[in-house]
Amino acid sequence: MNERVPHHWKGFAMAITDQSNPSNEQLLFLFERMKLIRLMEERLRSDAAAGKLPGAVHLYIGQEAVAAGVCANLRETDWITSTHRGHGHFLAKGGDPKAMMAEIWGKRTGICKGMGGSMHVADLSKGILGANGIVGGGFAIATGAALTAKLSNNGRVAVAFFGDGAANQGVFMECLNVSTLWQLPLVFVCEYNHFCEFTPTVTVTAGEIADRAKAFKIPCEIVDGNDVLAVWRAAAKAIEWARSGKGPAFIEARTYRIQGHLEAEDLFLAGGKYREKQEIEEWRKRDPVTRFSEHLLSTKVCTTSQLDDISAKIARTVEDAVKFAEASEPADPELTFDVMFAGQKP
Ligand SMILES: Cc1ncc(C[n+]2csc(CCOP(=O)(O)OP(=O)(O)O)c2C)c(N)n1
């Protein structure tokens, strides 16, 4: 297996003494959010395979615990920036499933009027500053949001979700630097899913990513990213640290990308391969949604039939979102002028 042994430098130790746990209500909320992401993504996977979606989709299956565990600690007014693999972040931060689905289908009822597609789902009213087709594109946006929060003293926090590949972009260093220098309320969340497109991260990454934050004296924690409670606890501490004016914090969540880099990646690979099936199967055993449902049952937070009810409700939400997207009008090409040129036709 392509897993490195993480080191644990728990710089938050001084920040929060109490390892608090989520209430039962919060636990069920976490399950709902993870299940919503999973079922939306599974539906996208089958619709992509059926050729129903107009653009590329990068699925988040297997990483749900990261978005859910972090965003459950955020307020609606807090900000997040996301990546090309952004559906999970959008839904975890409270984005509307219908508007997201319609966007991915390229329909004018989509959250960006169908003009952005999968890689640009955004909802400023929910603090979702956007998925982003530029690898590492979210760092500086989140840093800017955190600077706004600091200057306006509004108590908000910004979270930058990014991949292990994005950690090799130069802008990462720039944002670690200024966010520390200016003590910005910013939380970096690295989703270490082991791959950058078709390249194993270990083959292109020197040292530990978390050490880069450590060099700036940013408190950091490496967590099991397939354990939503571990993520939730680390995020609670990191967000509290940032919100209380102590500056940035850093979380590296160890997880795994179960799907291909994008759907239909086999066409790109043309018979080549960059990982073994066996490795994927090993990680499936650590499925974050299954693990968490087993935890909820073994700790008697709820019963199997309660979990089934939640899942059935979410399946209906997904079905409604697909029906809404299917029935909507395609995006209006004329809008290109408004969205690209702010009403000034060239
Ligand atoms: C600036 C830039 N360089 C290259 C690409 C092509 N590209 C798209 S996704 C990707 C890999 C990103 O890996 P990572 O940040 O780990 O995210 P993951 O796909 O694993 O979620 C690359 C190189 C891009 N979109 N933007």
Side-chain angles (χ1 to χ4, degrees):
M1 190 174 304
N2 201 3
E3 173 69 321
R4 293 177 300 172
V5 179
H7 66 162
H8 293 273
W9 179 62
K10 300 211 170 181
F12 297 127
M14 298 303 290
I16 288 181
T17 45
D18 177 29
Q19 279 273 320
S20 55
N21 284 312
S23 64
N24 281 5
E25 195 186 344
Q26 287 171 314
L27 288 169
L28 291 176
F29 176 78
L30 283 170
F31 176 76
E32 276 200 32
R33 280 285 150 96
M34 287 169 75
K35 194 78 187 180
L36 174 64
I37 300 169
R38 174 63 59 88
L39 295 188
M40 287 284 279
E41 295 263 293
E42 284 180 344
R43 182 58 193 254
L44 285 168
R45 182 178 61 190
S46 58
D47 284 342
K52 293 183 181 174
L53 307 180
V57 284
H58 304 79
L59 297 184
Y60 195 64
I61 291 174
Q63 300 180 217
E64 295 88 348
V66 185
V70 171
C71 291
N73 284 286
L74 292 175
R75 301 174 185 164
E76 189 165 271
T77 48
D78 290 330
W79 290 295
I80 63 164
T81 61
S82 172
T83 72
H84 53 285
R85 201 175 301 288
H87 310 151
H89 308 131
F90 180 92
L91 294 169
K93 187 66 172 58
D96 176 13
K98 277 187 181 170
M100 184 184 100
M101 195 59 98
E103 186 60 35
I104 298 169
W105 279 66
K107 300 299 182 80
R108 65 184 67 187
T109 52
I111 191 70
C112 301
K113 299 182 168 41
M115 304 300 285
S118 162
M119 279 186 272
H120 300 99
V121 288
D123 185 350
L124 303 191
S125 73
K126 298 272 167 62
I128 306 165
L129 301 180
N132 203 313
I134 308 297
V135 170
F139 287 124
I141 298 170
T143 305
L147 178 60
T148 303
K150 169 114 182 179
L151 294 177
S152 47
N153 198 21
N154 59 19
R156 296 185 187 183
V157 168
V159 172
F161 288 102
F162 62 100
D164 34 3
N168 288 333
Q169 294 288 71
V171 64
F172 177 42
M173 200 282 290
E174 295 176 50
C175 294
L176 288 172
N177 183 49
V178 292
S179 62
T180 312
L181 190 66
W182 298 337
Q183 293 285 282
L184 301 183
L186 176 61
V187 179
F188 295 90
V189 179
C190 177
E191 301 195 49
Y192 195 110
N193 70 4
H194 291 81
F195 298 101
C196 321
E197 289 192 332
F198 317 117
T199 305
T201 303
V202 280
T203 64
V204 289
T205 305
E208 297 283 348
I209 292 170
D211 283 346
R212 299 174 190 181
K214 202 173 157 186
F216 290 89
K217 310 246 181 311
I218 297 176
C220 65
E221 186 161 348
I222 299 175
V223 292
D224 177 348
N226 284 22
D227 175 352
V228 71
L229 290 178
V231 176
W232 188 92
R233 287 194 192 99
K237 285 187 285 181
I239 291 164
E240 171 57 25
W241 173 277
R243 205 185 296 287
S244 63
K246 296 190 177 88
F250 184 98
I251 295 170
E252 184 180 316
R254 295 288 175 131
T255 181
Y256 191 80
R257 165 160 64 68
I258 293 290
Q259 289 298 114
H261 168 61
L262 76 174
E263 292 314 280
E265 78 168 9
D266 289 349
L267 294 174
F268 290 81
L269 293 173
K273 67 173 178 179
Y274 60 96
R275 59 178 173 176
E276 300 297 330
K277 282 207 168 70
Q278 177 63 25
E279 182 178 280
I280 304 173
E281 293 316 313
E282 284 301 317
W283 277 91
R284 276 191 206 282
K285 293 179 193 158
R286 305 189 209 172
D287 183 296
V289 182
T290 311
R291 265 172 81 181
F292 191 47
S293 25
E294 283 166 3
H295 170 80
L296 293 176
L297 295 175
S298 68
T299 52
K300 302 209 180 330
V301 170
C302 61
T303 61
T304 308
S305 81
Q306 280 172 306
L307 286 189
D308 289 348
D309 286 350
I310 294 172
S311 300
K313 187 184 82 179
I314 291 168
R316 286 193 296 276
T317 301
V318 174
E319 197 50 44
D320 287 349
V322 174
K323 281 196 184 127
F324 175 74
E326 260 176 326
S328 297
E329 290 291 312
D332 176 5
E334 276 294 308
L335 271 182
T336 309
F337 294 110
D338 288 335
V339 299
M340 294 288 288
F341 302 104
Q344 300 171 317
K345 281 196 183 185

